[in-house]
Amino acid sequence: MKPINDIPISQIIPGKNDRTIFDESGLRELADSIKEHGLIQPITVRYAEDCKQFEIIAGERRFRACKLLGWQTIPAIITVLENEEASAITLAENIARKSLDPIDEACAYQSRIESFGWSIEDLSKYAGTSTIHIQFRLKLLKLIPEIQKLIRGGNIQIGYAQILADTNLDSNFQLIAFSKLRDNPKPTTGWFRSIVSELKEKQDQGILFKGPLFDETYDANEFKTENIPQPPHPETTTPPKIGRTIREILRNQMAFWEEAAKQWDSIGKPFKRNECKSAAQALTKALSKGFTKR
């Protein structure tokens, strides 16, 4: 086990962090937790290029929280790492903690492809996530900056953003798709897929849209998704009883939860998808045990 050293905070500098936005309220909550319970996990640093300072490899949020508390020193593990090794550790920590917004996450993958020539498989190994997830995130970088900003702020659900990114629309058609999504009070993923498919056909046919489509003074807070109806969920929804027999009703309810799981998956909510899957599996077990012979 590597020794832990108390290092003066004044001698520590941030490393190349994938996170571009640090939530102040979140840092304050972390600082309050550290104040009450202490710093359970030390930060990891390496010597900076000038060998007079230490560069953070992992734990910049902890470092910032301790600065808020006015600490003069911080427990740290000093390690010797090359740039690529340090980058791998930083990526693994950020993805494991799910601390990056989708755009920062995509930029983190892209920067390692460009800096170290990593493949999708390399990224998957170091980040501990699937190659498909990484490919989906990288596609978000095809979206224009205005829409990326909305994704960062949570003003577009990731499922809709992924549909838009997957279609390879140019900037004008992206804005048209966004405006249709913004103006629909009750959008669904199926409806939005049809919209972007129609726009892709028009783009492929060479149909052009001219003129400013995105108001530079647009306030991202105007587009919120809190009021968009969510897919069914076991905690909030009772599945319909459709069928002549109990067995038929349970089969239909099982299909109901399977469809709900697909809807949650399409908007980037894996935990809720899994809960719907569990509801469907419980019904499957009931059928397989012969509880319903009528």
Side-chain angles (χ1 to χ4, degrees):
M1 185 175 180
K2 294 183 179 180
I4 298 174
N5 303 270
D6 285 329
I7 298 176
I9 279 182
S10 60
Q11 293 181 15
I12 299 174
I13 59 174
K16 189 176 181 181
N17 199 322
D18 299 310
R19 184 200 306 273
T20 59
I21 299 172
F22 289 85
D23 178 59
E24 290 299 325
S25 62
L27 282 176
R28 175 50 64 185
E29 288 178 5
L30 178 58
D32 291 341
S33 176
I34 292 172
K35 184 178 180 179
E36 181 176 356
H37 304 291
L39 184 64
I40 297 173
Q41 183 179 1
I43 67 172
T44 301
V45 299
R46 67 173 178 171
Y47 288 102
E49 291 183 358
D50 61 7
C51 294
K52 296 178 181 179
Q53 294 177 302
F54 297 94
E55 179 183 272
I56 298 173
I57 301 300
E60 186 171 345
R61 287 187 76 248
R62 280 166 274 155
F63 168 74
R64 287 173 177 256
C66 290
K67 283 185 72 175
L68 283 175
L69 293 172
W71 287 19
Q72 299 302 306
T73 62
I74 186 171
I77 296 172
I78 303 173
T79 187
V80 178
L81 295 170
E82 296 297 328
N83 289 341
E84 188 169 355
E85 295 174 304
S87 186
I89 291 174
T90 301
L91 179 66
E93 177 177 83
N94 282 332
I95 301 303
R97 292 175 182 272
K98 301 187 183 300
S99 58
L100 301 178
D101 69 57
I103 301 302
D104 273 351
E105 185 182 348
C107 290
Y109 297 138
Q110 186 63 36
S111 70
R112 285 158 178 82
I113 291 172
E114 295 173 354
S115 298
F116 308 118
W118 287 6
S119 66
I120 300 296
E121 288 71 23
D122 292 331
L123 290 165
S124 176
K125 178 178 70 174
Y126 289 123
T129 191
S130 70
T131 55
I132 292 176
H133 174 85
I134 291 169
Q135 290 169 334
F136 279 163
R137 284 293 186 265
L138 286 169
K139 286 181 180 180
L140 295 177
L141 299 181
K142 297 178 181 179
L143 298 174
I144 58 175
E146 293 91 343
I147 293 179
Q148 289 186 25
K149 183 178 179 181
L150 293 169
I151 296 169
R152 284 185 186 277
N155 295 305
I156 295 182
Q157 290 181 356
I158 190 62
Y160 294 114
Q162 209 67 73
I163 291 170
L164 184 55
D166 203 37
T167 316
N168 294 319
L169 295 176
D170 65 23
S171 57
N172 275 344
F173 280 100
Q174 285 181 36
L175 294 173
I176 294 167
F178 164 77
S179 68
K180 290 181 179 295
L181 178 63
R182 179 189 59 191
D183 295 340
N184 188 339
K186 295 182 179 181
T188 64
T189 53
W191 167 82
F192 193 55
R193 281 196 186 93
S194 68
I195 290 295
V196 296
S197 294
E198 290 174 11
L199 292 173
K200 183 65 165 61
E201 288 181 11
K202 292 179 179 179
Q203 177 175 290
D204 293 343
Q205 293 167 7
I207 298 174
L208 301 178
F209 288 84
K210 298 181 180 180
L213 295 171
F214 202 100
D215 182 0
E216 293 182 357
T217 62
Y218 172 73
D219 182 359
N221 292 320
E222 287 181 13
F223 184 72
K224 297 287 186 180
T225 57
E226 293 92 339
N227 297 322
I228 294 176
Q230 298 291 291
H233 186 267
E235 292 182 357
T236 59
T237 308
T238 300
K241 295 180 179 180
I242 301 173
R244 297 180 179 179
T245 65
I246 295 177
R247 182 179 291 275
E248 205 174 303
I249 291 171
L250 291 182
R251 282 203 183 103
N252 288 329
Q253 289 181 338
M254 187 171 62
F256 175 87
W257 289 124
E258 289 287 356
E259 177 59 28
K262 291 179 182 178
Q263 292 177 27
W264 283 115
D265 193 43
S266 70
I267 59 175
K269 299 287 185 179
F271 293 112
K272 292 187 181 292
R273 172 202 63 201
N274 291 341
E275 287 164 348
C276 291
K277 283 278 189 183
S278 296
Q281 288 167 3
L283 293 169
T284 303
K285 289 180 181 178
L287 286 167
S288 66
K289 289 181 179 179
F291 290 158
T292 55
K293 295 183 179 179
R294 288 183 291 169

